[in-house]
Amino acid sequence: MKQVIIVVPEGNATNLSSITGSFEILNGANEYWKMMGHASVMDIRLAGFVPELKMDVGFFSVFPVNIGDVKKADLVIIPSVSSDFENVVNSNGNLVDWIREQYKGGAEIASMCGGAFLLAATGLLDGKSCSTHWNAAADFRRLFPNVDLHIDKLITVQHGIYTNGGAFSFLNLILFLVERYFDKETAVFCSKMFQIDMERASQSPFEIFQTQKNHGDEMICKAQTYIEENLKEKISFEALASMLATSRRNFDRRFIKATGNTPVEYLQRVKVEAAKRTLEKGRKTIFEVMTEVGYSDDKAFREVFKKITSLSPLDYRAKYNRVGAGVGGYV
Protein backbone atom coordinates (compact mmCIF):
# COMPACT_ATOMS: atom_id res chain seq x y z
CA MET A 1 0.00 0.00 0.00
CA LYS A 2 1.31 3.46 -0.94
CA GLN A 3 1.94 5.86 1.90
CA VAL A 4 0.53 9.24 0.83
CA ILE A 5 1.38 12.21 3.02
CA ILE A 6 -0.34 15.57 2.62
CA VAL A 7 2.02 17.87 4.50
CA VAL A 8 0.70 20.68 6.69
CA PRO A 9 3.09 23.67 6.68
CA GLU A 10 3.38 25.96 9.67
CA GLY A 11 1.84 29.43 9.48
CA ASN A 12 -1.54 30.82 8.49
CA ALA A 13 -0.94 31.02 4.73
CA THR A 14 -1.83 27.40 3.94
CA ASN A 15 -4.90 26.91 1.77
CA LEU A 16 -7.42 24.65 3.52
CA SER A 17 -9.29 23.63 0.36
CA SER A 18 -6.19 22.14 -1.24
CA ILE A 19 -5.72 19.93 1.83
CA THR A 20 -9.32 18.79 2.20
CA GLY A 21 -9.91 18.57 -1.56
CA SER A 22 -6.87 16.39 -2.08
CA PHE A 23 -7.83 14.12 0.79
CA GLU A 24 -11.45 13.73 -0.33
CA ILE A 25 -10.66 12.95 -3.97
CA LEU A 26 -7.83 10.52 -3.23
CA ASN A 27 -9.93 8.82 -0.57
CA GLY A 28 -12.85 8.67 -3.01
CA ALA A 29 -10.60 7.06 -5.62
CA ASN A 30 -9.41 4.53 -3.06
CA GLU A 31 -12.96 3.64 -2.04
CA TYR A 32 -14.06 3.26 -5.66
CA TRP A 33 -11.03 1.05 -6.35
CA LYS A 34 -11.98 -1.21 -3.41
CA MET A 35 -15.61 -1.27 -4.56
CA MET A 36 -14.33 -2.63 -7.89
CA GLY A 37 -12.85 -5.59 -6.02
CA HIS A 38 -9.25 -4.43 -5.62
CA ALA A 39 -7.08 -4.10 -2.55
CA SER A 40 -6.65 -0.62 -1.12
CA VAL A 41 -3.93 1.36 -2.92
CA MET A 42 -3.36 4.27 -0.55
CA ASP A 43 -2.98 5.07 3.11
CA ILE A 44 -3.58 8.85 3.15
CA ARG A 45 -2.52 10.96 6.10
CA LEU A 46 -2.00 14.60 7.00
CA ALA A 47 1.35 15.19 8.69
CA GLY A 48 3.30 18.15 9.97
CA PHE A 49 5.57 19.52 12.67
CA VAL A 50 2.68 21.16 14.54
CA PRO A 51 -0.03 19.20 16.42
CA GLU A 52 -2.72 21.69 15.37
CA LEU A 53 -2.95 24.37 12.73
CA LYS A 54 -5.70 26.95 12.93
CA MET A 55 -6.71 28.25 9.53
CA ASP A 56 -8.96 30.87 7.95
CA VAL A 57 -8.94 33.27 10.90
CA GLY A 58 -9.37 30.42 13.35
CA PHE A 59 -12.64 29.10 11.95
CA PHE A 60 -11.03 25.77 11.02
CA SER A 61 -8.32 23.59 12.50
CA VAL A 62 -6.43 20.59 11.18
CA PHE A 63 -4.71 18.06 13.41
CA PRO A 64 -1.86 16.45 11.49
CA VAL A 65 0.01 13.43 12.75
CA ASN A 66 3.59 13.96 13.86
CA ILE A 67 5.63 13.97 10.67
CA GLY A 68 8.55 12.53 12.63
CA ASP A 69 6.60 9.28 12.88
CA VAL A 70 6.47 8.97 9.08
CA LYS A 71 9.48 6.86 8.20
CA LYS A 72 8.96 6.58 4.47
CA ALA A 73 6.42 8.13 2.12
CA ASP A 74 5.66 7.07 -1.45
CA LEU A 75 3.89 10.29 -2.43
CA VAL A 76 4.23 13.66 -0.70
CA ILE A 77 1.65 16.34 -1.51
CA ILE A 78 2.45 19.97 -0.72
CA PRO A 79 -0.74 22.05 -0.45
CA SER A 80 -1.14 25.56 -1.72
CA VAL A 81 0.23 28.45 0.30
CA SER A 82 -0.70 32.03 -0.49
CA SER A 83 1.08 35.35 0.05
CA ASP A 84 4.20 36.14 2.05
CA PHE A 85 5.98 33.30 0.27
CA GLU A 86 9.45 34.14 1.55
CA ASN A 87 8.28 34.02 5.16
CA VAL A 88 6.47 30.71 4.55
CA VAL A 89 9.70 29.20 3.22
CA ASN A 90 11.79 30.59 6.08
CA SER A 91 9.40 29.35 8.77
CA ASN A 92 9.22 25.83 7.34
CA GLY A 93 12.88 24.89 7.15
CA ASN A 94 12.34 21.54 8.89
CA LEU A 95 9.54 20.64 6.49
CA VAL A 96 11.65 21.62 3.47
CA ASP A 97 14.45 19.33 4.72
CA TRP A 98 11.98 16.49 5.32
CA ILE A 99 10.55 16.78 1.80
CA ARG A 100 14.03 16.73 0.28
CA GLU A 101 14.98 13.60 2.23
CA GLN A 102 11.75 11.82 1.27
CA TYR A 103 12.47 12.44 -2.41
CA LYS A 104 16.00 11.12 -2.00
CA GLY A 105 14.44 8.05 -0.36
CA GLY A 106 12.28 7.35 -3.41
CA ALA A 107 9.10 9.35 -2.79
CA GLU A 108 7.37 11.29 -5.52
CA ILE A 109 6.52 14.91 -4.74
CA ALA A 110 3.53 16.94 -5.91
CA SER A 111 3.07 20.66 -5.22
CA MET A 112 -0.05 22.75 -5.67
CA CYS A 113 -0.13 26.41 -6.62
CA GLY A 114 2.07 28.36 -4.15
CA GLY A 115 3.23 25.08 -2.62
CA ALA A 116 5.84 25.23 -5.39
CA PHE A 117 7.75 27.74 -3.23
CA LEU A 118 8.30 25.10 -0.54
CA LEU A 119 9.21 22.53 -3.17
CA ALA A 120 11.66 24.90 -4.86
CA ALA A 121 13.28 25.67 -1.50
CA THR A 122 14.39 22.03 -1.35
CA GLY A 123 16.58 22.57 -4.42
CA LEU A 124 14.86 19.65 -6.14
CA LEU A 125 13.47 21.94 -8.86
CA ASP A 126 16.81 23.49 -9.85
CA GLY A 127 17.22 23.05 -13.59
CA LYS A 128 13.72 21.58 -13.86
CA SER A 129 10.38 22.90 -15.08
CA CYS A 130 7.52 23.79 -12.78
CA SER A 131 4.30 25.77 -12.60
CA THR A 132 2.60 27.86 -9.95
CA HIS A 133 -0.08 30.54 -9.79
CA TRP A 134 0.47 33.19 -12.48
CA ASN A 135 0.05 35.88 -9.84
CA ALA A 136 3.08 34.56 -7.94
CA ALA A 137 5.40 34.37 -10.94
CA ALA A 138 7.45 37.50 -10.18
CA ASP A 139 8.12 36.43 -6.57
CA PHE A 140 8.95 32.90 -7.67
CA ARG A 141 11.45 33.99 -10.32
CA ARG A 142 13.08 36.38 -7.85
CA LEU A 143 13.50 33.72 -5.17
CA PHE A 144 14.31 30.77 -7.45
CA PRO A 145 16.07 31.98 -10.61
CA ASN A 146 17.45 28.49 -11.31
CA VAL A 147 13.99 26.98 -11.82
CA ASP A 148 12.41 26.97 -15.28
CA LEU A 149 8.99 28.44 -14.51
CA HIS A 150 6.12 27.87 -16.97
CA ILE A 151 3.03 29.64 -15.70
CA ASP A 152 1.12 28.70 -18.85
CA LYS A 153 1.29 25.02 -17.86
CA LEU A 154 -1.48 23.53 -15.78
CA ILE A 155 0.64 20.52 -14.79
CA THR A 156 4.34 19.75 -15.12
CA VAL A 157 5.88 16.30 -14.71
CA GLN A 158 9.60 15.63 -14.38
CA HIS A 159 11.54 12.88 -12.61
CA GLY A 160 8.82 12.02 -10.10
CA ILE A 161 8.05 15.67 -9.35
CA TYR A 162 4.63 17.11 -10.20
CA THR A 163 3.58 20.75 -10.00
CA ASN A 164 0.46 22.59 -11.04
CA GLY A 165 -0.85 26.09 -11.64
CA GLY A 166 -2.99 28.27 -9.46
CA ALA A 167 -5.91 28.04 -7.09
CA PHE A 168 -8.46 25.27 -7.75
CA SER A 169 -6.48 23.86 -10.67
CA PHE A 170 -5.05 21.57 -7.97
CA LEU A 171 -8.12 19.44 -8.69
CA ASN A 172 -6.68 18.62 -12.10
CA LEU A 173 -3.37 17.61 -10.55
CA ILE A 174 -5.17 15.27 -8.15
CA LEU A 175 -7.07 13.68 -11.06
CA PHE A 176 -3.73 13.24 -12.82
CA LEU A 177 -2.35 11.49 -9.73
CA VAL A 178 -5.46 9.30 -9.49
CA GLU A 179 -4.85 8.09 -13.04
CA ARG A 180 -1.14 7.64 -12.25
CA TYR A 181 -1.72 5.57 -9.08
CA PHE A 182 -5.01 3.86 -9.98
CA ASP A 183 -6.14 3.91 -13.61
CA LYS A 184 -7.98 5.96 -16.22
CA GLU A 185 -11.37 4.53 -15.29
CA THR A 186 -10.96 5.63 -11.68
CA ALA A 187 -9.87 9.10 -12.78
CA VAL A 188 -12.95 9.39 -15.00
CA PHE A 189 -15.14 8.28 -12.09
CA CYS A 190 -13.63 10.96 -9.84
CA SER A 191 -14.00 13.53 -12.60
CA LYS A 192 -17.72 12.78 -12.78
CA MET A 193 -18.28 12.39 -9.05
CA PHE A 194 -16.48 15.63 -8.13
CA GLN A 195 -17.46 17.38 -11.39
CA ILE A 196 -13.95 18.32 -12.48
CA ASP A 197 -13.21 19.11 -16.12
CA MET A 198 -10.46 16.73 -17.24
CA GLU A 199 -9.80 18.61 -20.48
CA ARG A 200 -8.02 21.61 -19.01
CA ALA A 201 -4.38 21.73 -20.02
CA SER A 202 -3.40 25.37 -19.49
CA GLN A 203 -4.02 28.21 -17.07
CA SER A 204 -3.24 30.80 -19.73
CA PRO A 205 -6.89 31.84 -20.26
CA PHE A 206 -7.06 32.80 -16.58
CA GLU A 207 -3.89 34.85 -16.44
CA ILE A 208 -4.15 38.59 -15.88
CA PHE A 209 -0.96 40.21 -17.12
CA GLN A 210 0.33 42.57 -14.46
CA THR A 211 2.70 45.33 -15.48
CA GLN A 212 4.69 45.27 -12.25
CA LYS A 213 7.10 48.17 -11.88
CA ASN A 214 8.64 47.59 -8.46
CA HIS A 215 11.90 46.32 -9.97
CA GLY A 216 13.77 49.56 -9.25
CA ASP A 217 14.93 50.37 -12.79
CA GLU A 218 13.62 53.87 -13.48
CA MET A 219 14.54 53.80 -17.15
CA ILE A 220 12.57 50.61 -17.75
CA CYS A 221 9.60 52.03 -15.79
CA LYS A 222 9.57 54.93 -18.26
CA ALA A 223 9.72 52.48 -21.15
CA GLN A 224 6.83 50.44 -19.73
CA THR A 225 4.71 53.56 -19.29
CA TYR A 226 5.48 54.67 -22.84
CA ILE A 227 4.45 51.26 -24.22
CA GLU A 228 1.22 51.19 -22.20
CA GLU A 229 0.24 54.71 -23.28
CA ASN A 230 0.95 54.16 -26.97
CA LEU A 231 -0.69 50.84 -27.78
CA LYS A 232 -2.21 52.08 -31.02
CA GLU A 233 1.13 53.36 -32.33
CA LYS A 234 3.80 51.40 -34.13
CA ILE A 235 6.57 51.43 -31.54
CA SER A 236 10.20 51.35 -32.64
CA PHE A 237 12.32 49.98 -29.82
CA GLU A 238 15.43 51.38 -31.47
CA ALA A 239 13.85 54.84 -31.26
CA LEU A 240 12.62 54.22 -27.71
CA ALA A 241 16.10 53.17 -26.57
CA SER A 242 17.56 56.28 -28.21
CA MET A 243 14.92 58.46 -26.52
CA LEU A 244 16.01 56.97 -23.18
CA ALA A 245 19.68 57.65 -24.03
CA THR A 246 20.85 54.05 -24.14
CA SER A 247 21.83 51.45 -26.72
CA ARG A 248 19.29 48.94 -28.00
CA ARG A 249 21.39 46.09 -26.64
CA ASN A 250 21.55 47.59 -23.14
CA PHE A 251 17.87 48.48 -23.31
CA ASP A 252 16.90 44.88 -24.13
CA ARG A 253 19.16 43.47 -21.42
CA ARG A 254 17.76 45.73 -18.71
CA PHE A 255 14.18 45.27 -19.88
CA ILE A 256 14.40 41.47 -19.66
CA LYS A 257 16.08 41.64 -16.25
CA ALA A 258 13.41 44.00 -14.88
CA THR A 259 10.23 42.48 -16.35
CA GLY A 260 11.06 38.91 -17.35
CA ASN A 261 9.94 39.71 -20.91
CA THR A 262 11.64 41.03 -24.00
CA PRO A 263 10.29 44.45 -25.10
CA VAL A 264 8.38 42.76 -27.95
CA GLU A 265 6.85 40.16 -25.59
CA TYR A 266 5.88 42.89 -23.14
CA LEU A 267 4.22 44.93 -25.88
CA GLN A 268 2.30 41.85 -27.08
CA ARG A 269 1.14 41.00 -23.57
CA VAL A 270 -0.03 44.54 -22.82
CA LYS A 271 -1.92 44.65 -26.13
CA VAL A 272 -3.55 41.27 -25.53
CA GLU A 273 -4.51 42.20 -21.94
CA ALA A 274 -6.20 45.35 -23.23
CA ALA A 275 -7.96 43.30 -25.93
CA LYS A 276 -9.15 40.79 -23.33
CA ARG A 277 -10.74 43.50 -21.20
CA THR A 278 -12.60 44.89 -24.22
CA LEU A 279 -13.76 41.44 -25.30
CA GLU A 280 -15.06 40.76 -21.79
CA LYS A 281 -17.07 43.99 -21.54
CA GLY A 282 -18.87 44.69 -24.80
CA ARG A 283 -20.12 43.78 -28.22
CA LYS A 284 -17.27 45.15 -30.33
CA THR A 285 -16.16 43.06 -33.27
CA ILE A 286 -12.82 41.30 -33.28
CA PHE A 287 -11.68 43.75 -35.96
CA GLU A 288 -12.59 46.74 -33.79
CA VAL A 289 -10.79 45.28 -30.79
CA MET A 290 -7.78 44.43 -32.91
CA THR A 291 -7.42 47.96 -34.28
CA GLU A 292 -7.96 49.50 -30.83
CA VAL A 293 -4.80 47.80 -29.58
CA GLY A 294 -2.73 48.68 -32.62
CA TYR A 295 -2.93 45.60 -34.85
CA SER A 296 -3.63 45.95 -38.56
CA ASP A 297 -2.92 42.34 -39.51
CA ASP A 298 -5.82 40.06 -38.56
CA LYS A 299 -3.73 36.89 -38.75
CA ALA A 300 -0.92 38.30 -36.60
CA PHE A 301 -3.39 39.45 -33.93
CA ARG A 302 -5.10 36.08 -33.73
CA GLU A 303 -1.80 34.20 -33.56
CA VAL A 304 -0.40 36.38 -30.76
CA PHE A 305 -3.70 36.30 -28.85
CA LYS A 306 -3.89 32.51 -28.99
CA LYS A 307 -0.22 32.07 -28.10
CA ILE A 308 -0.73 34.08 -24.91
CA THR A 309 -4.21 32.94 -23.85
CA SER A 310 -4.50 29.49 -25.50
CA LEU A 311 -7.82 30.67 -26.96
CA SER A 312 -8.75 32.47 -30.15
CA PRO A 313 -10.21 35.99 -29.70
CA LEU A 314 -13.61 34.64 -30.77
CA ASP A 315 -13.48 31.75 -28.28
CA TYR A 316 -12.29 34.08 -25.52
CA ARG A 317 -15.20 36.47 -26.11
CA ALA A 318 -17.68 33.58 -26.15
CA LYS A 319 -16.30 32.30 -22.84
CA TYR A 320 -15.95 35.54 -20.88
CA ASN A 321 -18.15 38.20 -22.46
CA ARG A 322 -20.68 39.32 -19.84
CA VAL A 323 -23.14 40.70 -22.39
CA GLY A 324 -23.30 37.50 -24.43
CA ALA A 325 -23.23 35.04 -21.56
CA GLY A 326 -25.35 36.88 -19.04
CA VAL A 327 -24.23 37.97 -15.59
CA GLY A 328 -22.11 35.32 -13.92
CA GLY A 329 -22.40 33.06 -16.96
CA TYR A 330 -26.16 32.49 -16.55
CA VAL A 331 -28.57 33.29 -19.36
Side-chain angles (χ1 to χ4, degrees):
M1 188 183 300
K2 301 293 185 183
Q3 297 297 312
V4 178
I5 301 299
I6 303 172
V7 299
V8 179
E10 295 185 43
N12 58 9
T14 304
N15 182 276
L16 177 64
S17 62
S18 64
I19 293 177
T20 57
S22 302
F23 182 86
E24 287 184 24
I25 296 170
L26 291 176
N27 190 60
N30 210 37
E31 292 302 312
Y32 176 78
W33 187 255
K34 290 192 293 184
M35 188 174 68
M36 292 295 102
H38 306 291
S40 181
V41 169
M42 292 181 168
D43 175 25
I44 310 159
R45 289 182 287 170
L46 275 59
F49 284 98
V50 290
E52 178 186 4
L53 182 66
K54 293 185 177 181
M55 309 173 74
D56 293 348
V57 203
F59 281 110
F60 302 99
S61 289
V62 294
F63 301 89
V65 301
N66 186 342
I67 206 165
D69 295 337
V70 180
K71 302 307 178 187
K72 185 181 185 306
D74 296 291
L75 173 63
V76 175
I77 296 175
I78 307 171
S80 170
V81 296
S82 58
S83 72
D84 202 10
F85 299 112
E86 195 164 0
N87 184 55
V88 169
V89 169
N90 291 337
S91 61
N92 281 279
N94 290 337
L95 182 59
V96 167
D97 293 340
W98 185 87
I99 293 168
R100 184 191 304 112
E101 292 307 309
Q102 289 298 314
Y103 182 74
K104 290 179 180 179
E108 294 190 321
I109 314 291
S111 73
M112 303 167 173
C113 190
F117 283 80
L118 289 171
L119 176 54
T122 66
L124 298 175
L125 284 176
D126 287 355
K128 297 185 179 71
S129 300
C130 91
S131 185
T132 190
H133 199 295
W134 54 262
N135 197 39
D139 285 333
F140 191 92
R141 290 191 173 105
R142 174 177 59 84
L143 292 173
F144 306 108
N146 296 326
V147 180
D148 186 16
L149 183 64
H150 291 273
I151 57 171
D152 58 315
K153 302 292 186 184
L154 195 69
I155 296 172
T156 68
V157 182
Q158 206 167 3
H159 306 300
I161 295 176
Y162 311 93
T163 70
N164 88 280
F168 283 86
S169 68
F170 81 84
L171 298 170
N172 295 88
L173 175 60
I174 294 300
L175 281 188
F176 180 90
L177 293 173
V178 168
E179 184 172 349
R180 161 85 175 79
Y181 281 86
F182 295 88
D183 62 8
K184 180 74 172 182
E185 179 185 338
T186 307
V188 170
F189 169 80
C190 289
S191 171
K192 292 178 178 179
M193 181 61 66
F194 294 97
Q195 300 188 39
I196 306 167
D197 183 3
M198 295 185 73
E199 298 304 316
R200 283 185 59 195
S202 171
Q203 63 175 342
S204 296
F206 303 94
E207 181 181 354
I208 301 171
F209 182 62
Q210 297 178 315
T211 56
Q212 63 88 15
K213 297 175 183 175
N214 60 355
H215 44 69
D217 192 324
E218 186 178 349
M219 183 187 78
I220 299 305
C221 278
K222 291 179 180 179
Q224 289 174 271
T225 300
Y226 181 87
I227 291 169
E228 293 154 19
E229 293 178 351
N230 293 274
L231 288 184
K232 293 183 180 180
E233 308 301 323
K234 186 173 182 179
I235 296 177
S236 165
F237 289 111
E238 288 284 355
L240 181 56
S242 178
M243 184 175 72
L244 294 169
T246 189
S247 68
R248 174 64 191 274
R249 182 177 180 182
N250 186 52
F251 175 75
D252 285 356
R253 179 185 61 78
R254 286 173 63 173
F255 201 101
I256 293 168
K257 181 180 179 181
T259 69
N261 298 113
T262 67
V264 171
E265 289 170 343
Y266 189 88
L267 175 61
Q268 290 175 338
R269 286 186 172 274
V270 172
K271 284 176 179 286
V272 167
E273 193 60 37
K276 283 164 59 181
R277 289 196 296 269
T278 303
L279 289 169
E280 291 165 10
K281 291 177 182 177
R283 295 183 179 276
K284 290 186 178 181
T285 67
I286 302 300
F287 179 81
E288 289 173 321
V289 174
M290 175 188 84
T291 54
E292 272 189 8
V293 297
Y295 277 93
S296 57
D297 185 324
D298 176 80
K299 182 180 178 184
F301 173 66
R302 292 174 189 274
E303 286 179 350
V304 170
F305 193 97
K306 188 163 188 177
K307 180 182 75 172
I308 291 174
T309 69
S310 298
L311 295 172
S312 71
L314 196 62
D315 289 340
Y316 188 91
R317 185 176 64 183
K319 191 176 182 70
Y320 293 109
N321 182 270
R322 285 175 282 181
V323 176
V327 177
Y330 293 95
V331 177

